[in-house]
């Protein structure tokens, strides 16, 4: 899940390199890297807090104008039919007065992100696991 690929399959429009820090040129961003993404006119930053290659990615809010304390986990679990189950979940605090709206928005966005990741992964060549 390299940061440069997110705009291909996700709801984000682009990776904002000049607002990101610690990015690996080969796309293997380490824990601690901040990846800034633009969606429309809004730029948000996510700090990688954990990474288990091809199994789990965890991140938290580095900067976001609407929500605070955002923490998310993306779990990838192999299925018996050779596919992968994606479980993308997070917690956050919305800016005062926006809690009801952000709950609906975040549920929709996270579903779009998981669906986009699944659709993109289906186009990639299968790589058998050992």
């Amino acid at each position: 899940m390299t940061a440069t690929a997110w705009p291909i399959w996700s709801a984000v429009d682009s990776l904002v390199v000049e607002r990101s820090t610690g990015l690996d040129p080969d796309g293997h961003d380490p824990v601690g890297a901040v990846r800034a993404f633009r969606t429309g006119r809004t730029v948000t930053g996510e700090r990688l807090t954990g990474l288990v290659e091809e199994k789990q990615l965890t991140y938290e809010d580095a900067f976001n104008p609407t929500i605070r304390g955002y923490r998310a986990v993306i779990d990838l679990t192999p299925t018996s039919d050779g596919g992968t189950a994606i479980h993308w979940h997070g917690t956050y605090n919305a800016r005062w007065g926006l809690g009801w709206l952000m709950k609906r928005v975040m549920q929709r966005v996270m579903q779009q992100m998981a669906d986009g990741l699944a659709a993109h992964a289906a186009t990639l060549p299968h790589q058998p696991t050992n």
Side-chain angles (χ1 to χ4, degrees), residues 59-105:
Y59 61 94
E60 67 185 14
D61 171 42
F63 53 89
N64 188 314
T66 310
I67 59 176
R68 301 280 181 259
Y70 179 56
R71 296 187 188 315
V73 178
I74 306 169
D75 285 309
L76 304 174
T77 308
T79 61
S80 60
D81 64 357
T84 302
I86 301 168
H87 185 224
W88 196 321
H89 51 103
T91 59
Y92 61 90
N93 295 310
R95 203 165 68 190
W96 189 86
L98 293 178
W100 65 273
L101 175 63
M102 290 309 299
K103 181 177 180 177
R104 293 177 65 193
V105 167

Side-chain angles (χ1 to χ4, degrees), residues 19-47:
R19 300 248 347 241
S20 300
T21 60
L23 299 181
D24 178 80
D26 295 324
H28 302 287
D29 300 335
V31 170
V34 173
R35 306 183 318 174
F37 294 107
R38 177 179 308 284
T39 304
R41 296 185 330 196
T42 303
V43 177
T44 59
E46 301 169 347
R47 180 178 298 105

